[in-house]
Amino acid sequence: MQTFQEMALPESLNHTLIDMGFNNPTPVQQEAIPSALQGRDILGSAQTGTGKTGAFGIPLVNHLLTNTEGAALVMTPTRELATQVMSQLQKMLGKKSKIKVALLIGGEPMPKQFRQLRNSPRLIVGTPGRINDHLKRRSLQLNTTDFLVLDETDRMLDIGFTVQIENVMAHLSPERQTLLFSATLPKNITRIAGKYLNEPVRVAVGAPSSPVEKIKQTCLRLKEADKHSTLLTQLDECEGTILIFVKTKFGTEKLAKKLRQEEHFADAIHGDLRQHKRDRVIAKFRNKTFRILVATDVAARGLDIPHIEYVINYDLPQCPEDYIHRIGRTGRAGALGNALNFITPADNKKWQAIDRLLNPNNKQKESFKPKKPKNKKWGFKKKFKTPSSSNSHKKKTFKTKAKA
Ligand code: AMP
């Protein structure tokens, strides 16, 4: 189906989709929504940034609006993704909706979640750890939950949530509809799908393991000791919002601090930060209070900030699949994006593994062969100015000054 009108959605949902700027369904939505509206289970793999949240969110909201009973549960691997998914679903429900919701994520005070749960929410979004906590405390019952979404399932399994997911499954009504989405579909996912999905419709948009085509990927071959100076050169050349991935939590803080000392607007995010601090950093990055976010893989999945124009893999990821998720933070919703990969001699094996994932049929694709660094732009558009280059622009674009 090419349009939302053909899908015969409830009138209020049609309106909220228009308010959100969703005029026509994206390819994954065209494939998934009609089957999901018929009550079918879905096993979906789609490139990141393709409108996956709408692909499960629209049928979910339709289910809540067209049934007076029953409830929906969405499980995501990270708190950030859960918050983002909840925000999108609430937009679809609309401001006037009376449907109660509960966001069950770790790092947040329990009393607020107890309060939300006492209100009989019909939409619950959360991370498996906290959802299990509530199940154990009996503050959450799932026996009437008849619509389940597992989002970024590969990531949930990677970070060790298999037991928690299976425990949640045991609490759910067997008479339910299940939509499972995953960026990649390794064997452990197909096992879970075989166990919990009922004759699912397979939805695959694009090659399951390939990144969005509009992301320009560039590799720089360099020595570990030259990474920082090369980064500074690249940052001076570019003028857009940048997400830099590094290996360790300590490394994010260290690099962000160094960049601030060098007059860049930068901050760091990693799993050791308290939830409210993580939320604050993401909110400030989202509204362009600062320009460079240095992150561990905590930010690799799901983060939807449309203005991220560049992803720099300062350190390559440990696991090749994470490369796809990392670079998927740019090039959102059809926009152009850039990814720059720093590759040291010690990274050769890691890069080969990534290259095999990206090009399973090629031995090594020419365009991804690492190049020697050149003091040359890698396709940045002029948009942001660095703090030192224009004070008037600085005031306009960045609301607060970088911390020393
Ligand atoms: P997602 O893959 O769900 O993270 O979505 C990526 C981006 O696409 C988000 O910014 C969504 O708001 C946007 N998006 C999703 N579906 C549509 C649509 N049908 N029309 C326009 N934008 C969309």
Side-chain angles (χ1 to χ4, degrees), residues 1-7 22-27 29-31 33-34:
M1 285 184 195
Q2 302 295 314
T3 66
F4 286 124
Q5 285 69 36
E6 289 170 85
M7 295 177 184
F22 288 21
N23 297 322
N24 288 303
T26 63
Q29 292 166 0
Q30 285 176 17
E31 282 207 30
I33 296 173

Side-chain angles (χ1 to χ4, degrees), residues 39-257:
R40 298 287 307 269
D41 283 0
I42 303 279
L43 173 60
S45 56
Q47 293 179 354
T48 177
T50 52
K52 197 161 42 74
T53 316
F56 64 74
I58 292 168
L60 179 153
V61 169
N62 174 76
H63 181 81
L64 294 179
L65 294 176
T66 54
N67 294 283
T68 47
E69 290 179 357
L73 171 69
V74 183
M75 280 200 278
T76 74
T78 65
R79 305 158 189 182
E80 281 76 19
L81 184 55
T83 309
Q84 205 170 272
V85 166
M86 177 62 102
S87 150
Q88 228 184 98
L89 296 179
Q90 284 189 291
K91 281 186 195 151
M92 287 179 200
L93 283 167
K95 284 191 189 120
K96 291 186 190 146
S97 168
K98 294 204 167 62
I99 291 173
K100 300 280 190 299
V101 305
L103 180 65
L104 307 180
I105 54 177
E108 287 236 314
M110 289 298 249
K112 183 179 166 197
Q113 296 179 6
F114 290 143
R115 257 195 324 275
Q116 290 183 333
L117 288 170
R118 277 196 298 270
N119 280 340
S120 311
R122 292 187 58 218
L123 170 59
I124 295 168
V125 181
T127 45
R130 185 54 69 97
I131 291 170
N132 265 272
D133 261 10
H134 282 287
L135 286 171
K136 273 190 209 131
R137 291 165 187 257
R138 296 178 192 274
S139 44
L140 170 66
Q141 273 87 42
L142 292 173
N143 48 331
T144 57
T145 302
D146 53 1
F147 196 106
L148 171 70
V149 177
L150 299 172
D151 189 19
E152 303 272 11
T153 311
D154 49 348
R155 179 63 167 174
M156 288 202 278
L157 301 193
D158 282 354
I159 51 186
F161 280 141
T162 312
V163 173
Q164 281 96 332
I165 291 173
E166 303 225 15
N167 189 40
V168 171
M169 294 295 194
H171 282 80
L172 289 162
S173 156
E175 299 299 311
R176 61 159 194 272
Q177 185 177 2
T178 306
L179 277 54
L180 185 159
F181 278 84
S182 186
T184 50
L185 287 183
K187 279 201 189 95
N188 53 357
I189 305 288
T190 40
R191 184 192 71 79
I192 291 264
K195 195 164 165 193
Y196 296 110
L197 270 58
N198 179 20
E199 297 181 10
V201 175
R202 179 81 176 83
V203 171
V205 175
S209 298
S210 68
V212 175
E213 278 168 12
K214 284 185 174 168
I215 301 170
K216 182 180 172 208
Q217 298 170 71
T218 308
C219 298
L220 288 182
R221 162 98 47 202
L222 75 187
K223 290 193 196 118
E224 185 70 38
D226 294 335
K227 275 186 177 177
H228 191 73
S229 58
T230 308
L231 177 68
L232 293 181
T233 311
Q234 297 294 344
L235 294 181
D236 283 344
E237 297 289 349
C238 82
E239 301 194 351
T241 310
I242 300 168
L243 178 58
I244 303 177
F245 282 105
V246 301
K247 205 166 27 194
T248 64
K249 297 167 185 171
F250 176 69
T252 61
E253 299 275 0
K254 194 171 145 199
L255 182 56
K257 189 172 171 195

